[in-house]
Amino acid sequence: MGVRLAEVTDPVEATALAPPAHKILQDLVSSGAALGWALPPAQGEVRDLLTELVEGVATGESALLVAHDDGTVVGLGYWRRYQRQTHRPHADLERVAVAAGHQGRGIGRALTEGLVASARKAGIEVLTLDARGDNERALALYRTLGFNEYGRLVDFVAVGHLRYDKVFYALDLRRPWPRL
Ligand SMILES: CC(C)(COP(=O)(O)OP(=O)(O)OC[C@H]1O[C@@H](n2cnc3c(N)ncnc32)[C@H](O)[C@@H]1OP(=O)(O)O)[C@@H](O)C(=O)NCCC(=O)NCCS
């Protein structure tokens, strides 16, 4: 069967997704992944996040994409529209995460491409993201999909006593698909 991507739109599905999604995020953050958590998130936090994302799907507020490999959840990612009134046409791609044992097989690329496509379909004008400056693998992936760096805060991300750059990327979806 292989890897399959699915958009999560049903709250019951979101609840069922919480334990495997939590496991992926917990394992990645425990081994130092740059996902915006210094400590692994609690399962309740992940469940609430997924529920909120799925509630927003119907109104074009958000999108949540999951990758399954032979029925097992191996990755996820989402975008959310900006809350600020003057930023409403735009959204932020907040987290793309692939389980450690499944990385390097094209799943992260497929998830990110799927999220860009769903943002385009939802009429999002600019899709932004930020990443930790040492996350070269993720940054390289985003650049190949047409994201450009528009800013950088030097030594901004604090993980214990360590400091990393926070890098800001954007993809303007009002322009034609950059790879065409
Ligand atoms: C970043 C992440 C989502 C990429 O997912 P993935 O499934 O491993 O990536 P893919 O196999 O789709 O590879 C995508 C690109 O990543 C880069 N890449 C993949 N494996 C790599 C490796 N071993 N070394 C360097 N770059 C690599 C390449 O640019 C690759 O492009 P290609 O398709 O032209 O080869 C994944 O590594 C991850 O979950 N990391 C931890 C969480 C995280 O940092 N998320 C991003 C937050 S901004």
Side-chain angles (χ1 to χ4, degrees):
M1 210 163 74
V3 178
R4 191 175 58 83
L5 294 190
E7 220 168 314
V8 184
T9 54
D10 174 2
V12 176
E13 258 181 273
T15 307
L17 177 64
H22 173 248
K23 172 91 176 81
I24 291 173
L25 296 170
Q26 185 184 43
D27 290 351
L28 288 172
V29 175
S30 298
S31 49
L35 280 163
W37 284 291
L39 295 173
Q43 186 163 315
E45 184 181 348
V46 173
R47 189 193 52 233
D48 292 350
L49 171 66
L50 298 179
T51 303
E52 190 188 315
L53 290 167
V54 169
E55 280 172 359
V57 170
T59 52
E61 198 63 32
S62 47
L64 170 62
L65 205 55
V66 176
H68 299 268
D69 189 1
D70 286 335
T72 303
V73 177
V74 293
L76 69 151
Y78 66 88
W79 57 257
R80 270 202 278 216
R81 208 178 265 274
Y82 278 86
Q83 287 303 304
R84 192 183 292 188
Q85 280 181 9
T86 51
H87 292 11
R88 291 294 287 160
H90 317 301
D92 197 44
L93 182 68
E94 290 184 13
R95 283 183 181 111
V96 179
V98 175
H102 295 265
Q103 291 180 6
R105 297 171 51 206
I107 299 172
R109 174 176 296 280
L111 280 167
T112 312
E113 281 181 345
L115 289 164
V116 169
S118 80
R120 191 183 287 280
K121 198 168 145 203
I124 298 298
E125 294 183 11
V126 179
L127 188 61
T128 61
L129 64 84
D130 61 76
R132 210 169 74 187
D134 65 328
N135 200 351
E136 257 316 314
R137 188 169 177 171
L139 290 168
L141 167 63
Y142 301 139
R143 283 193 300 271
T144 65
L145 294 175
F147 283 87
N148 290 309
E149 179 174 331
Y150 68 91
R152 179 181 287 255
L153 285 170
V154 174
D155 292 343
F156 189 79
V157 181
V159 183
H161 66 282
L162 299 171
R163 296 292 177 272
Y164 301 90
D165 291 359
K166 178 170 176 165
V167 184
F168 299 90
Y169 274 17
L171 176 63
D172 191 334
L173 298 172
R174 293 168 291 200
R175 304 225 174 101
W177 184 244
R179 294 162 83 211
L180 286 182

